[in-house]
Amino acid sequence: MSLLTRGFIAGLFMILSVLASAQGDSATAANRLSEIATQLKEGKSDGATLLNEAVRLCGFSVWSEDRTRLAEPLTSPGLDLAITDKEIAGFAELYKRQNRVELADLVAAFDPIYREAGGKKGLPFFVDKLVRGNLFKDKQAPRLLASFLQDLARTHGEPNDVPVTMTSQLDPIQALLIMRVVTEEIRVPLRKAGKPELYASIHPEYAQEENPGWAEDAFAGGITGLFEEVVGGIGEIGGKVTNAVGKANALAAITKFILTYQFLRGEMTLEGKGQPLIRTKDEVAGDERTTVARFYIDGTGVTDWLKDNRKYFHILGLDLDTPKTGPLKKVETYWRLSQSYKYATKQLVQAVRGTTDLSRLKTNDAGEARVTWEGKPQPKKINPKKAMPVMKSVWISVSPQVKSVEVQQDLVDAVTGAIGIKDGPVGAISPIMEILY
């Protein structure tokens, strides 16, 4: 065997060894992300710590809100995008509370800005590439990100959420990661196309500093392919660039606005007699108990948050006022019981006759909604001499509904008013906030 041949084979083995090592590292990272998704769902450890590790494995840097670099990606090369430490803490809290948003709604919120920048294919095309197409790409960071988005979907327990499609319900972590990629890929080409005086004319406070956003200087898009299309569209929109840049700047503030949901609080109490509610032994309804659910904004924690994020509200053109605690008035609520909905014989309690539809029960001016429950009548009379008492539990859950346009606006008004935004969202941002809330 010639020296050249031996050298080629040695080089070949060296290349194969490096590739095998890289594949091993990728598999290890993917397995760890799958573990993190499960641990987040089970709530066995600190969610913010787990999410911090996950975003770094997916290729994100971690910055502070003042743009100080706190941690490097754990995957190389990374995405050249950053997530902030406050976003990690805030969205981990929202995840714990099981907030959800439909992916189609999230995409619809950004589509007008994408169209303004010259986009033609439609955002669903690019988002699909992000959450599914990158599972098969050769770049490690986008592949791990796509894998983690699917891992999170599998923990939802909803078959329609796996694989992630436009009709899937996203948890807050999925929403944050998708928003960070999509918004930066829309706005970065506009930022690069703009001139310093352009930003000075729109937002004077940013004339002397970097235009807000969370892409690093090396970020050149390509994660979804959206970046390239927006770059191609810049030349076509000419005089509209100024307007598009102004709207794109607001994208950097949307995740901050969503974090106001951290201050939404709910509590449920039982009026009158305590437990247990005694079900009868015959075909007549038993004891009654009334549950009261109250939803409100906790204004005590808002002041510092507004102070820290004031510049983002300036971008959105929002006028800040005095924060206060405020109830969610006239908002529909949705009630569920942890008992069979299919078999009446397995049901233990029911709402008293005449109760409004439990999927549309509105809160009053104090943000309260009441339901009176009664013991379900027995399907057959029981001989009291042969009956033995059995203690059972029925879990009651209730959440504010935001499905109708009217209720969306009610919730937006309640939230923005309580956190101290005097005039509410304006212009193109208003429908975005309504959809996301």
Side-chain angles (χ1 to χ4, degrees):
M1 183 181 293
S2 71
L3 181 62
L4 179 60
T5 303
R6 288 199 301 271
F8 173 76
I9 293 174
L12 181 62
F13 275 122
M14 182 182 298
I15 293 171
L16 289 176
S17 175
V18 170
L19 285 176
S21 175
Q23 289 171 352
D25 291 344
S26 179
T28 300
N31 289 337
R32 177 55 186 152
L33 285 168
S34 182
E35 290 175 358
I36 289 174
T38 301
Q39 290 170 351
L40 283 166
K41 173 67 175 177
E42 295 173 348
K44 289 185 176 179
S45 55
D46 178 50
T49 300
L50 287 171
L51 183 53
N52 184 296
E53 180 184 356
V55 299
R56 294 173 64 199
L57 283 169
C58 290
F60 292 94
S61 302
V62 178
W63 293 359
S64 66
E65 294 290 329
D66 64 4
R67 312 180 77 78
T68 300
R69 184 183 294 271
L70 301 177
E72 300 289 345
L74 294 174
T75 297
S76 182
L79 299 174
D80 293 316
L81 293 172
I83 302 286
T84 74
D85 54 342
K86 286 193 175 181
E87 287 173 338
I88 288 172
F91 278 83
E93 171 64 22
L94 294 180
Y95 175 87
K96 187 188 303 181
R97 292 161 56 179
Q98 299 185 9
N99 294 103
R100 292 287 188 270
V101 62
E102 187 170 300
L103 179 54
D105 286 344
L106 194 69
V107 171
F110 299 125
D111 201 58
I113 299 173
Y114 156 76
R115 299 286 184 184
E116 185 83 31
K120 296 180 176 65
K121 289 185 179 179
L123 278 183
F125 173 81
F126 296 104
V127 172
D128 184 72
K129 288 183 66 177
L130 169 64
V131 299
R132 293 201 292 174
N134 277 307
L135 287 170
F136 311 103
K137 295 293 184 182
D138 56 353
K139 292 183 179 180
Q140 187 179 19
R143 189 169 68 247
L144 290 172
L145 172 57
S147 178
F148 185 51
L149 291 170
Q150 300 294 339
D151 288 336
L152 288 167
R154 280 187 280 273
T155 68
H156 294 179
E158 296 290 340
N160 292 336
D161 289 354
V162 185
V164 178
T165 65
M166 283 298 116
T167 59
S168 296
Q169 294 288 323
L170 299 183
D171 61 52
I173 294 174
Q174 290 173 304
L176 170 64
L177 300 180
I178 290 172
M179 282 192 298
R180 183 49 33 92
V181 173
V182 171
T183 58
E184 293 304 315
E185 289 209 337
I186 290 175
R187 68 181 301 285
V188 167
L190 293 171
R191 181 186 68 177
K192 291 181 177 180
K195 299 178 181 179
E197 59 267 23
L198 179 64
Y199 298 104
S201 65
I202 301 173
H203 302 296
E205 64 268 33
Y206 291 107
Q208 303 300 322
E209 62 180 81
E210 182 183 358
N211 188 245
W214 306 109
E216 299 180 356
D217 290 339
F219 179 67
I223 302 175
T224 67
L226 174 63
F227 180 94
E228 288 83 356
E229 187 182 57
V230 176
V231 169
I234 286 177
E236 302 174 16
I237 60 178
K240 293 184 179 180
V241 170
T242 301
N243 191 34
V245 169
K247 291 178 181 178
N249 289 346
L251 294 176
I254 288 177
T255 54
K256 312 301 173 186
F257 203 106
I258 293 174
L259 283 177
T260 62
Y261 228 112
Q262 291 179 96
F263 305 108
L264 174 61
R265 297 287 183 262
E267 58 187 35
M268 192 185 299
T269 56
L270 191 65
E271 283 187 339
K273 293 189 255 181
Q275 301 189 51
L277 180 154
I278 301 174
R279 190 181 178 192
T280 61
K281 303 178 184 67
D282 51 34
E283 298 163 293
V284 179
D287 276 1
E288 293 185 359
R289 297 289 187 278
T290 299
T291 51
V292 182
R294 184 167 78 98
F295 293 101
Y296 63 99
I297 298 297
D298 177 11
T300 58
V302 182
T303 304
D304 289 342
W305 185 87
L306 281 174
K307 181 179 178 182
D308 292 342
N309 294 277
R310 183 174 295 272
K311 63 182 179 181
Y312 299 107
F313 288 91
H314 284 309
I315 296 172
L316 290 169
L318 299 176
D319 184 14
L320 302 183
D321 204 345
T322 305
K324 59 182 179 297
T325 296
L328 294 189
K329 306 175 183 179
K330 310 301 182 185
V331 172
E332 292 179 352
T333 59
Y334 178 50
W335 297 71
R336 286 183 64 86
L337 298 171
S338 63
Q339 62 181 13
S340 174
Y341 281 81
K342 185 175 181 180
Y343 301 106
T345 55
K346 295 183 179 181
Q347 296 172 1
L348 303 176
V349 297
Q350 63 186 13
V352 298
R353 189 179 300 277
T355 301
T356 307
D357 181 0
L358 293 180
S359 66
R360 303 180 65 86
L361 186 62
K362 285 193 174 185
T363 60
N364 59 21
D365 288 343
E368 297 177 345
R370 284 176 166 77
V371 176
T372 299
W373 311 93
E374 62 185 10
K376 183 92 173 183
Q378 299 288 348
K380 293 182 181 179
K381 188 174 182 178
I382 298 174
N383 186 340
K385 295 181 180 180
K386 296 181 179 180
M388 293 291 293
V390 177
M391 184 71 74
K392 295 186 177 182
S393 297
V394 178
W395 287 88
I396 302 172
S397 64
V398 56
S399 61
Q401 289 283 80
V402 292
K403 299 232 172 168
S404 71
V405 175
E406 177 187 358
V407 174
Q408 282 179 12
Q409 189 57 56
D410 287 344
L411 187 55
V412 171
D413 292 343
V415 171
T416 56
I419 66 170
I421 299 176
K422 184 166 58 177
D423 295 329
V426 294
I429 300 302
S430 183
I432 292 178
M433 298 312 168
E434 291 177 21
I435 289 173
L436 294 181
Y437 273 123

